[in-house]
Amino acid sequence: MDDPEVVLVEGEPPAGFALIGWVDGNLHLDQLAVHPESMRQGIGGRLVTAVIEHARAAGAPAVTLTTYRDVPWNAPWYERHGFAVMPEAEWGPELRALVEHERELGIEVAPRVVMRR
């Protein structure tokens, strides 16, 4: 995903955002961020719900993302929102290229996973 197609924003002024685009025919959550002063107020959950609703409205079969496996507010948090680890054998070519690009950028400083809902 070279350029996100949609940015969803929560709050005025913005307290959080989600960058989404398309990868292998699925909606892909490229980034979700909440301002530190606004954390633990449900903003991230509302943004994930908005991403899922956007995916349904667009006819996407799934929402994918990449995240840190063991950081409590990453993979475990997404699992609580219905995401599951996606086996590498099920990755499409665009998702595989995205993961490789993250590795080249040095993002993989801790174990990462691909997740799908």
Side-chain angles (χ1 to χ4, degrees), residues 51-52 54 76 93:
V51 168
I52 293 164
H54 188 82

Side-chain angles (χ1 to χ4, degrees), residues 17-71:
F17 67 90
L19 298 173
I20 56 177
W22 292 93
V23 174
D24 293 321
N26 294 309
L27 198 74
H28 185 79
L29 175 56
D30 188 52
Q31 186 174 0
L32 179 80
V34 176
H35 191 280
E37 293 177 6
S38 299
M39 290 181 162
R40 313 228 15 106
Q41 297 177 25
I43 293 170
R46 287 192 298 275
L47 283 166
V48 166
T49 298
V51 168
I52 293 164
E53 289 172 358
H54 188 82
R56 281 190 193 121
V63 176
T64 59
L65 58 89
T66 62
T67 193
Y68 292 107
R69 182 186 70 202
D70 299 320
V71 177

Side-chain angles (χ1 to χ4, degrees), residues 9-16 38:
V9 178
E10 166 86 17
E12 182 63 43
S38 299

Side-chain angles (χ1 to χ4, degrees), residues 43-117:
I43 293 170
R46 287 192 298 275
L47 283 166
V48 166
T49 298
V51 168
I52 293 164
E53 289 172 358
H54 188 82
R56 281 190 193 121
V63 176
T64 59
L65 58 89
T66 62
T67 193
Y68 292 107
R69 182 186 70 202
D70 299 320
V71 177
W73 57 88
N74 282 202
W77 186 85
Y78 285 110
E79 285 175 344
R80 289 193 301 275
H81 289 276
F83 286 82
V85 173
M86 184 177 182
E88 188 172 349
E90 297 177 18
W91 300 358
E94 294 173 352
L95 190 54
R96 191 169 305 282
L98 183 100
V99 170
E100 183 58 35
H101 181 67
E102 288 180 352
R103 288 179 180 147
E104 290 169 359
L105 293 174
I107 292 173
E108 195 162 20
V109 296
R112 288 181 66 80
V113 291
V114 173
M115 301 185 84
R116 170 180 57 205
R117 179 183 166 160

